[in-house]
Amino acid sequence: MTHSPLLLIWAAVSSIYQIGGVVATPLVLLLAGALLFVFSIGYGGIARRVRYQGGFYAFVRRGLGGPAALVVATVAMAAYLLQLAVLQVYFATALSALVDMTFEVQAPGAIGVAIVVCCALGLGLLRFGTMMRFLLGLAALQVVALLWLTFTALSRPADGALSGAGLNPSWLLTGSFGLALCMALTAFVGSETGAFYAGEVDRPERTIPLATSLGYVVTTGVLVVSAWALSVAAGPESIVYLARSFADPRITEAVPLAVPVIGGLVDANQLEGAMRSLLVVLVLGTLASVSALNGGASRLLSAIADNGHLPHRFAGRNGVPTVARLVGPLVGGVIALAVVARDDRGITLVLAVTAGVCMLAVLATTSLATTNWFLRRDDEETGFFGWEGHVTAAGVTAVAMTCVLLFASSRLPGALSPYSRTLPTWFPFAYLIATALGGLLWGMTVRHRKYSSDG
């Protein structure tokens, strides 16, 4: 539930069309999902054997050593904090629009941020099982809204017939495929957090790999189907124009891509009611995403504290975070307050891209560590479903994600330049380098300590 289905339509799909400009964006999303599913094969392979709630922190420690693990953990935590801030801004924006539409009152964004921070802190007190039931209930609302929007869009195609241009490879070169792929991969931030719950689920050697792969499959399905449905409703080529005009953060009255598309699907006398219902579902879904992502981030901090590299108060009780669960909402809330105070929509886009770039580096490094770990040990499980298949999957994703990062480092700053009035275009990669260096310094200062066992 780190990815609210409606939020994916509202934010992720819009930004991919906007930056990439590729008509076949649904196909790009399918390719990104396929790459991440391959990643989950290697990730799941090591998760079966290293059953520790630290997730990729534990995997990188096993494959590349303790200092490298702290570098990865630092970059990942920095990415999660930015992603939490972005989600809190989305919550505040949607809540403000809902209040304005319902009561004709302009609610300050800071109030929305304060509400979501308090709710996230409160939900963090719930037990794991209770939290999962709560998130499943919110997920059901998301599915209903998603199905309504998808079937409505497909029943009223712009050209009078369903168009397959969004899934046609010949339309991949209409914009920048590389930028679209990079943006698509950033939309999956959070799907890898399942491994952080290894200490709280039954049979983690089976549950964690299955949950991770299933998470990537479901997220891919939601993104592909929703992007294709919007493409059919607006027209394959028109949707790129809509994304770059209505969703342009430089415009004061900018709105998400889904808004003008829905406006063309619903009768005028029903539009306000439909938008109000969708905003309610969006607010609840965004809150669920904040809670789920904070659950993963807090368990990462707890795992580091369990190994003696953070104050003991950050360690969990029976694997459940206590003090650590306060960090994400509070730090993310401070960043979100700074964003809403600037009233610069471009900041949110740049921060979301920055979080995605950092997580691409984390996943590439984790795949490299997985490859190295399998090659150094004697594993009796051979063949495609044994260690050889896991090594192949991890090696392919390490190379592919590194290539995407290198491409993004040269093209992404230029693509972000129209939207970054406040932050410089090199901010995503400067943030990645700075956090990596900070993690390296941290790792070097503690390398003389004896690392505790991680299962």
Side-chain angles (χ1 to χ4, degrees), residues 4-6 8-9 13 146 217-227:
S4 162
L6 194 57
L8 290 174
I9 300 175
V13 172
L146 178 66
V217 169
V218 171
T219 303
T220 300
V222 169
L223 284 167
V224 172
V225 172
S226 59

Side-chain angles (χ1 to χ4, degrees), residues 19-24 171-180 240 244 411:
I19 300 297
V22 177
V23 171
W171 288 95
L172 285 175
L173 301 180
T174 51
S176 174
F177 170 73
L179 284 175
V240 176
R244 290 182 165 178
R411 293 292 305 277

Side-chain angles (χ1 to χ4, degrees), residues 154-219:
L154 295 179
S155 64
R156 300 184 182 182
D159 300 326
L162 296 180
S163 171
L167 298 170
N168 190 334
S170 63
W171 288 95
L172 285 175
L173 301 180
T174 51
S176 174
F177 170 73
L179 284 175
L181 180 61
C182 178
M183 293 297 296
L185 289 170
T186 64
F188 291 83
V189 174
S191 294
E192 71 290 335
T193 56
F196 296 138
Y197 295 87
E200 301 170 61
V201 298
D202 296 330
R203 298 182 62 189
E205 71 279 2
R206 178 180 180 274
T207 303
I208 299 303
L210 180 61
T212 302
S213 296
L214 187 60
Y216 282 122
V217 169
V218 171
T219 303

Side-chain angles (χ1 to χ4, degrees), residues 1-3 53 76-77 79-88 116-126 128 131-132 135 189-194 196-197 200 285-303 314 319-333:
M1 196 55 190
T2 51
H3 301 97
Q53 71 174 23
M77 194 63 207
Y80 289 151
L81 291 176
L82 287 189
Q83 188 70 9
L84 283 167
V86 169
L87 290 172
Q88 290 173 0
V116 69
V117 168
C118 292
C119 289
L121 293 175
L123 291 172
L125 299 175
L126 298 178
F128 177 72
M131 172 66 79
M132 289 300 102
L135 294 180
V189 174
S191 294
E192 71 290 335
T193 56
F196 296 138
Y197 295 87
E200 301 170 61
T286 307
L287 175 60
S289 295
V290 170
S291 300
L293 187 60
N294 182 48
S298 61
R299 282 161 175 80
L300 173 59
L301 288 177
S302 291
F314 285 94
V320 180
T322 51
V323 175
R325 64 189 171 206
L326 305 177
V327 175
L330 294 178
V331 177

Side-chain angles (χ1 to χ4, degrees), residues 66-75 309 432-449 451:
L70 287 176
V71 172
V72 167
T74 303
V75 174
H309 304 314
L432 169 61
I433 294 171
T435 54
L437 290 176
L440 180 61
L441 179 61
W442 184 16
M444 296 300 291
T445 58
V446 301
R447 65 179 177 176
H448 63 281
R449 298 180 183 176
Y451 288 88

